[in-house]
Amino acid sequence: MSKKQEKLMIIDGNAIIHRSFHALPPTLRTKDGELVNAVYGFAAFLIKAWKELKPDYIVLTLDKKAPTFRHEKYAEYKATRVKAPDDLYKQIPLVKDVAKAFNLPIFEMAGFEADDLIGTIATVSNKSIEKIIVTGDMDTLQLVNDNTKVFAMGRGLSESVIYDAAKVRERFNIDPSQMIDYKALRGDPSDNIPGVKGIGEKTASGLLNEFKTLDGLYENFQTSDFSISDRIKNLLTEHKDDAYLSQDLATIKLDVPLEFDLEKCRASDFDVNKVAEIFSELEFKTLLPRVQELFSRGATGEEKNAAAEDKFARNQENFKYILVDDDKKFKKFLAELKKQKFFAIDTETTGFDPITSSLRGISFSWQSGTAFFVSFPRRRESSSSQSSETKKQNSLFSEIATPSARNDNEDWIEELKPILANEKIKKCGHNIKFDWRVLKNAGFDLNGIEFDSMIASYLLNPGSRTHGLDSATFSELGFEKISKNDLLGSGKEKTTFAKVDLKKLSIYSCEDADFTYRLSQKLAGELKEKKSIDVFNTIEMPLVPVLGKIEENGVLLDKKFLGDLEKKLAKDINSLEKKIYATAGEEFNVNSTKQLKEILFEKLQISTLNVGKTKTGFSTAADELDKLKDEHEIIPLIQNYRELAKLQSTYISALPELINEKTGRVHASFNQTITATGRLSSSDPNLQNIPARTELGQKIRQAFIAPDGWKIVSLDYSQIELRLAAHLSGDERLIETFNKNLDIHTATAALINDVPLEEVTKDMRREAKATNFGVLYGQGAYGLSQTAGIPFARAKEFIANYFAVYKDVEKYTKDMVEFAKENGYVETLFGRRRYLPEISSQVPMVRAGAERMAVNTPLQGTNADMIKKAMVLVQDLIEKEFSDSVKMIIQVHDELVFEMREDKIKEASKKIQEIMSNILKLKVPVVVDVEVGENWGDLKKL
């Protein structure tokens, strides 16, 4: 059996760094604002290439920031190349740190380019090994031979091509050995290599196919029978010196005086912990699993299981994690627990739904490295009260429960109940709302909730969405936890939380509690340092049990109504399809991007002016189609079709599937750690995205109903962000408008158009409304022209007139941008901060986005804080006075939705309205509208 050929991977560092810098968004920063997009791209591509190519040896080459021998030969070499931003060069030392963590030898030398180092290494290394050059450009294709290939990055980081000799011939129609002379003829604008002016790619390759080399061409082109136009002959003659200069400049040196030892480049020789440490500092949370996979590359299923087992073994060896599964252990644990005034808690269940899942156990930690897992096999319920799924889970659970645990757990529960319910004993968790709900459904009250490390992580870095426990632990503490895949396995061997081995589950859960405790200690200090502790303590943490109660309450759905609506909508969608086909002149798949592009841009010849592109051609995304809505009658039809199809799949068809079998209600999750401004979001279903002002959106809302004897009641802040704008800007005209209780949009239209209020037309008001909100969202003239449906020039004039009328609003927008530039963040009236490192970006589009956020966040964020504080006070009111007659069931942006017993609507809504109106005293009235109805979509003012 022949021995496997070994591989050396030679990395062109600068090419990958530059490509990554431009391919990845400048929003990729650490929580301290340090730009790391090029470093991330380098690391991601390194891992990708390593995984796919499976090299035995790896080296990294870099350019030195100094002139090379080519500059000495030709002063204009690379003179036309635009200097990369400083933001890129600042990242090169970090790239080196990543390379060192992977134990990669780094080669760089003054006077030479990375390509010269690559060529020399490829030449001097063992001839019998395969060399693969990882690069972002085509300069190194001249090095391709039987033992050397080029792994070239495509347009995106994921699009890569391996060039061997055949691939080079397929792409350029010449051999790799002819690439130098090819560049000598056609030049290279990116490096300012002149070539023969007037000769392009096709002519260059054609000449080399006939004459083989540059020397052969110049020796024979005047006398050859090969057909060459007089123009080309003249160009070759006139630019001969340029051709040979270009040949010299394009030739990669193969004899750079460097010391190269292949054995020092062994790929397997790196410490995964060092990589984890640097990735933790750079906050590359998503890359660590790829490193782990790389570390165990080529491993069998058994070997991968062994790698996961190593984590369990690590925890058993390094930490004190105790499974409490008998009465003796429980008594010892309980004695310690009773001494504690603060501890972390984590629950383990048979599934992910807090209502239908059963509690397998609770882990506790009050000291780093120590945790206890108290196992709770399911308490038996009467058969008649169990659903088929519950019975199935019970059966599964009894298989893994130990006899001693089944006998003792009832007593343990009674012992733990008063501790968990004690308000004075403080608890922390990671997404502790889930634990609160699980424990509630298991018969416990969880009081004294003081700290949630997920919320703390979010407040410290609101621009990120990776606040899960594994990510936060890795980012903050540099520790790689046991993942769910490590616990449950994958593929055919994957098990469930109900079936997983109790000992393994206990280690997993103890680790969760332990690192939640550790995070609470670290993040509490950071919250104080970043002056976010007050928002954490007074707004976010009191809201946790309130949201838990809203989720538990759920909302009723009218399934029949949704079924009828689905049938009607199917007919409407079918009708729209037929209109689209008739307009297009043929049938096609409207949902196929490829077919839609062919219809719009090829068959119908719709203008592509200003239409964005993707890697497969012109885009048909919603924003791009919006630019074309006046270009052809088919565009509005497609837009309407898409809206109906999306609402049908997202809500009308999906909502009935979300009805909980145990409660008969839909229980949406309300998320505190998603939006950067502080607004709540919801999922399963996403209630925020149901259109509030379209006919179909209202129809969907009509499916949310009240039970018999109850009504749906909505309390909604009226134009709150505009009122906040008046308060924050101090603009006298804006304040006067609200204090006189005038319609703000009509008043704005009158002022801008210089007409009396009574002469404001509907179109004037519509334009004014778009401007009022557009200014708050930092819209420019182009954005306003799109949203208001007016010409660009009109929008530009409107904004100018707006700021002429509301001078202090313009000053506010400028002041917020300057504040963000100076401080790196903006904040709400309650002190919630949003960090905006992008405000100093050298990329205009990114900087403009940050400026818009600087203007809007104090408004939208203050609004979010107001309604969160209101929710806490309202829930307190409900529990004290309306516990059996009012339920808070939905929160969407400025609106709170309740189920209220009919006889309590007037009394309760008045008190809630009063609470909401007085959360914050403004220079203008805070107005809260109250509406009542049988369902959420058909409400009338009270």
Side-chain angles (χ1 to χ4, degrees):
M1 186 174 178
S2 61
K3 186 180 177 183
K4 169 185 165 289
Q5 186 181 21
E6 290 190 312
K7 291 180 187 175
L8 165 63
M9 183 165 78
I10 309 170
I11 301 170
D12 181 354
N14 286 79
I16 295 174
I17 291 166
H18 278 76
R19 184 65 64 91
S20 300
F21 180 80
H22 294 291
L24 294 172
T27 51
L28 234 171
R29 296 171 183 264
T30 65
K31 63 187 176 186
D32 294 326
E34 185 174 23
L35 182 64
V36 289
N37 61 341
V39 195
Y40 182 92
F42 170 82
F45 195 79
L46 169 65
I47 295 167
K48 171 186 166 62
W50 199 329
K51 179 184 174 185
E52 291 186 9
L53 302 177
K54 299 179 175 60
D56 301 281
Y57 310 93
I58 306 180
V59 298
L60 172 65
T61 64
L62 291 168
D63 288 331
K64 271 279 191 184
K65 194 177 180 181
T68 68
F69 70 91
R70 292 181 179 85
H71 294 91
E72 294 173 8
K73 289 184 177 181
Y74 182 52
E76 298 303 307
Y77 180 66
K78 293 190 176 182
T80 56
R81 185 172 289 187
V82 178
K83 182 181 178 293
D86 291 340
D87 283 349
L88 183 150
Y89 292 112
K90 288 176 185 175
Q91 296 185 62
I92 291 177
L94 296 175
V95 168
K96 290 182 180 181
D97 290 342
V98 169
K100 288 170 186 173
F102 279 105
N103 207 23
L104 304 185
I106 301 172
F107 289 89
E108 53 185 343
M109 189 174 290
F112 300 96
E113 295 181 55
D115 285 351
D116 300 313
L117 305 177
I118 290 169
T120 300
I121 292 169
T123 302
V124 303
S125 56
N126 191 321
K127 297 290 186 291
S128 65
I129 68 172
E130 180 181 6
K131 275 80 69 173
I132 301 181
I133 300 163
V134 178
T135 184
D137 58 43
M138 299 297 174
D139 292 347
T140 54
L141 292 182
Q142 62 183 269
L143 301 173
V144 170
N145 56 39
D146 289 344
N147 282 321
T148 305
K149 297 184 179 73
V150 170
F151 184 81
M153 298 167 70
R155 285 182 60 183
L157 292 180
S158 61
E159 304 167 40
S160 306
V161 179
I162 294 183
Y163 282 91
D164 57 9
K167 192 72 177 176
V168 173
R169 279 191 293 273
E170 178 189 325
R171 168 77 186 272
F172 296 96
N173 196 31
I174 54 174
D175 291 330
S177 60
Q178 295 174 296
M179 288 299 298
I180 297 170
D181 291 348
Y182 172 77
K183 188 176 273 195
L185 289 171
R186 71 170 292 271
D188 185 349
S190 67
D191 288 341
N192 202 33
I193 294 176
V196 176
K197 189 176 181 181
I199 289 182
E201 295 180 8
K202 190 174 180 181
T203 303
S205 61
L207 290 171
L208 289 173
N209 276 313
E210 175 64 23
F211 297 101
K212 308 307 177 190
T213 66
L214 190 67
D215 287 340
L217 172 64
Y218 273 103
E219 287 169 6
N220 300 296
F221 81 88
Q222 294 286 13
T223 58
S224 171
D225 294 334
F226 183 69
S227 176
I228 305 176
S229 69
D230 290 341
R231 174 181 168 273
I232 296 298
K233 286 182 179 180
N234 291 335
L235 289 173
L236 287 169
T237 303
E238 183 182 350
H239 296 287
K240 181 177 180 179
D241 289 345
D242 286 341
Y244 276 99
L245 171 65
S246 298
Q247 183 192 53
D248 201 16
L249 294 173
T251 302
I252 292 174
K253 289 188 72 67
L254 308 179
D255 57 355
V256 176
L258 53 80
E259 293 181 13
F260 179 77
D261 185 342
L262 185 64
E263 279 307 308
K264 290 182 179 178
C265 307
R266 281 279 175 193
S268 58
D269 187 20
F270 78 88
D271 184 344
V272 72
N273 292 321
K274 285 184 180 178
V275 177
E277 185 178 344
I278 184 72
F279 278 16
S280 176
E281 290 173 10
L282 296 169
E283 298 168 37
F284 293 168
K285 309 173 186 73
T286 58
L287 292 184
L288 192 64
R290 300 186 214 176
V291 175
Q292 284 297 106
E293 186 180 352
L294 183 66
F295 195 63
S296 57
R297 64 191 184 284
T300 63
E302 288 183 5
E303 287 170 334
K304 286 179 181 176
N305 289 337
E309 289 296 332
D310 284 346
K311 293 183 186 176
F312 289 96
R314 169 202 67 189
N315 287 0
Q316 282 187 294
E317 182 180 344
N318 297 333
F319 309 131
K320 186 180 177 183
Y321 291 167
I322 298 168
L323 169 61
V324 178
D325 59 353
D326 62 40
D327 198 45
K328 182 179 177 182
K329 291 178 185 175
F330 180 79
K331 285 179 180 177
K332 189 175 179 181
F333 153 75
L334 187 65
E336 290 298 313
L337 181 66
K338 285 181 175 179
K339 299 175 187 175
Q340 310 308 319
K341 297 299 179 187
F342 177 87
F343 56 79
I345 191 169
D346 180 72
T347 58
E348 298 300 336
T349 58
T350 55
F352 297 107
D353 176 17
I355 294 173
T356 57
S357 298
S358 296
L359 183 65
R360 283 206 64 180
I362 311 172
S363 52
F364 300 81
S365 178
W366 50 82
Q367 181 180 343
S368 295
T370 299
F372 300 83
F373 180 73
V374 181
S375 64
F376 286 115
R378 177 189 296 276
R379 288 179 289 168
R380 300 196 178 277
E381 303 171 22
S382 64
S383 181
S384 61
S385 67
Q386 297 175 9
S387 67
S388 59
E389 180 62 24
T390 303
K391 290 175 185 175
K392 181 180 176 184
Q393 288 182 344
N394 272 337
S395 173
L396 289 172
F397 201 84
S398 63
E399 293 174 17
I400 52 85
T402 62
S404 61
R406 277 202 300 272
N407 292 335
D408 293 338
N409 81 89
E410 291 288 348
D411 293 337
W412 300 355
I413 288 170
E414 294 308 313
E415 293 272 19
L416 285 175
K417 273 185 177 180
I419 296 173
L420 294 177
N422 192 327
E423 186 75 39
K424 293 181 180 178
I425 301 173
K426 303 303 180 183
K427 293 90 178 175
C428 72
H430 197 91
N431 189 21
I432 200 168
K433 171 162 62 78
F434 178 82
D435 303 300
W436 182 93
R437 290 188 64 195
V438 166
L439 291 168
K440 179 177 177 60
N441 283 286
F444 295 89
D445 287 325
L446 182 62
N447 297 321
I449 296 174
E450 185 168 84
F451 201 93
D452 188 319
S453 45
M454 184 170 79
I455 294 172
S457 172
Y458 158 74
L459 276 181
L460 291 165
N461 192 19
S464 169
R465 290 196 175 190
T466 51
H467 302 291
L469 184 54
D470 290 3
S471 295
T473 299
F474 175 58
S475 176
E476 297 292 339
L477 303 171
F479 183 86
E480 186 193 3
K481 289 180 69 275
I482 299 168
S483 68
K484 284 186 174 66
N485 285 343
D486 292 330
L487 176 69
L488 303 177
S490 57
K492 292 180 180 179
E493 302 300 316
K494 187 171 184 176
T495 186
T496 64
F497 276 96
K499 281 188 169 184
V500 73
D501 173 75
L502 189 60
K503 181 64 177 175
K504 290 183 74 173
L505 182 67
S506 73
I507 296 170
Y508 171 82
S509 188
C510 281
E511 185 187 65
D512 279 358
D514 176 16
F515 281 89
T516 296
Y517 176 80
R518 298 190 203 200
L519 282 172
S520 73
Q521 303 303 292
K522 184 174 189 291
L523 297 182
E526 291 184 18
L527 286 170
K528 290 175 185 173
E529 184 184 333
K530 293 287 182 72
K531 294 183 168 46
S532 294
I533 194 69
D534 285 346
V535 173
F536 181 81
N537 285 334
T538 64
I539 297 176
E540 296 295 352
M541 288 312 301
L543 188 64
V544 171
V546 175
L547 292 179
K549 284 162 188 163
I550 294 174
E551 291 178 4
E552 285 292 302
N553 288 338
V555 60
L556 280 175
L557 274 184
D558 188 334
K559 285 181 72 174
K560 183 182 181 306
F561 178 85
L562 281 171
D564 293 341
L565 186 59
E566 184 170 23
K567 290 174 188 174
K568 181 184 181 303
L569 196 61
K571 290 179 182 177
D572 292 343
I573 290 171
N574 185 255
S575 175
L576 266 174
E577 275 186 322
K578 288 177 180 176
K579 288 180 183 177
I580 291 169
Y581 298 154
T583 309
E586 65 176 89
E587 291 191 10
F588 66 101
N589 183 354
V590 185
N591 297 312
S592 166
T593 303
K594 181 175 182 293
Q595 292 182 38
L596 184 58
K597 277 192 289 193
E598 290 171 358
I599 293 292
L600 298 183
F601 305 127
E602 294 176 24
K603 182 174 182 179
L604 299 178
Q605 293 288 300
I606 294 175
S607 170
T608 55
L609 185 66
N610 295 324
V611 175
K613 273 190 168 185
T614 67
K615 62 185 178 184
T616 58
F618 289 105
S619 172
T620 59
D623 289 347
E624 303 306 321
L625 286 191
D626 210 41
K627 298 174 186 176
L628 304 173
K629 62 187 177 185
D630 298 324
E631 296 292 325
H632 197 283
E633 60 184 315
I634 199 172
I635 301 296
L637 293 173
I638 292 166
Q639 289 177 311
N640 197 8
Y641 171 88
R642 282 182 171 180
E643 183 188 2
L644 297 189
K646 181 181 179 181
L647 290 175
Q648 183 189 47
S649 61
T650 307
Y651 295 106
I652 298 168
S653 300
L655 281 171
E657 300 298 317
L658 295 174
I659 295 174
N660 191 287
E661 62 176 21
K662 192 171 180 180
T663 67
R665 287 175 165 248
V666 168
H667 300 267
S669 295
F670 290 87
N671 312 306
Q672 289 172 267
T673 60
I674 302 294
T675 66
T677 59
R679 270 185 171 179
L680 292 172
S681 70
S682 62
S683 53
D684 302 320
N686 182 346
L687 300 169
Q688 271 88 345
N689 278 4
I690 301 174
R693 292 180 175 84
T694 66
E695 184 181 348
L696 184 55
Q698 288 300 318
K699 285 285 185 187
I700 294 170
R701 287 184 171 214
Q702 285 178 31
F704 293 81
I705 59 174
D708 291 341
W710 295 60
K711 299 277 189 185
I712 299 292
V713 180
S714 165
L715 285 96
D716 190 356
Y717 279 117
S718 172
Q719 298 173 331
I720 188 63
E721 288 186 27
L722 285 167
R723 294 173 190 272
L724 285 167
H727 176 81
L728 287 168
S729 68
D731 189 277
E732 290 183 5
R733 278 187 161 174
L734 205 53
I735 291 170
E736 183 184 15
T737 300
F738 282 117
N739 284 337
K740 286 183 176 180
N741 200 27
L742 299 175
D743 176 76
I744 183 64
H745 305 311
T746 302
T748 298
L751 288 167
I752 290 176
N753 291 284
D754 194 23
V755 298
L757 285 169
E758 59 272 15
E759 291 182 20
V760 171
T761 66
K762 285 185 179 179
D763 283 344
M764 286 179 183
R765 187 184 184 278
R766 177 178 55 79
E767 291 173 348
K769 182 177 180 180
T771 308
N772 274 327
F773 288 112
V775 165
L776 299 191
Y777 286 89
Q779 267 186 349
Y782 177 77
L784 179 61
S785 71
Q786 295 294 304
T787 55
I790 58 178
F792 176 82
R794 170 67 173 154
K796 192 173 181 181
E797 179 189 3
F798 219 82
I799 290 175
N801 291 342
Y802 183 94
F803 283 137
V805 169
Y806 298 126
K807 291 184 174 66
D808 287 323
V809 174
E810 182 179 28
K811 183 177 183 299
Y812 163 78
T813 63
K814 290 178 178 177
D815 287 348
M816 284 299 97
V817 171
E818 287 307 310
F819 182 91
K821 286 179 179 176
E822 194 174 317
N823 297 279
Y825 67 87
V826 289
E827 61 184 4
T828 69
L829 289 175
F830 293 92
R832 179 188 301 276
R833 290 186 175 184
R834 181 176 185 178
Y835 296 92
L836 297 170
E838 303 92 340
I839 200 87
S840 302
S841 173
Q842 295 176 333
V843 181
M845 186 172 68
V846 173
R847 186 173 61 250
E851 289 174 356
R852 287 193 295 272
M853 295 172 199
V855 173
N856 177 247
T857 295
L859 302 169
Q860 193 176 106
T862 298
N863 175 22
D865 290 342
M866 287 176 69
I867 203 158
K868 284 180 173 180
K869 289 181 80 71
M871 291 169 74
V872 174
L873 294 175
V874 167
Q875 185 59 39
D876 186 53
L877 171 74
I878 289 171
E879 289 174 11
K880 287 177 178 174
E881 300 185 30
F882 303 101
S883 59
D884 60 347
S885 55
V886 176
K887 291 181 181 178
M888 194 166 8
I889 57 172
I890 295 173
Q891 193 280 326
V892 175
H893 302 321
D894 311 329
E895 179 185 17
L896 290 180
V897 183
F898 302 83
E899 279 179 8
M900 293 190 188
R901 214 172 62 202
E902 291 183 17
D903 61 326
K904 292 292 184 180
I905 290 174
K906 285 188 178 180
E907 180 188 357
S909 59
K910 184 179 178 181
K911 290 187 176 182
I912 294 170
Q913 186 181 39
E914 190 175 330
I915 287 172
M916 293 176 67
S917 301
N918 289 288
I919 293 296
L920 190 62
K921 292 294 182 186
L922 303 180
K923 296 169 185 174
V924 297
V926 175
V927 176
V928 178
D929 295 327
V930 184
E931 294 184 321
V932 182
E934 300 289 339
N935 59 67
W936 189 23
D938 188 15
L939 299 171
K940 302 287 186 257
K941 284 204 171 184
L942 182 64

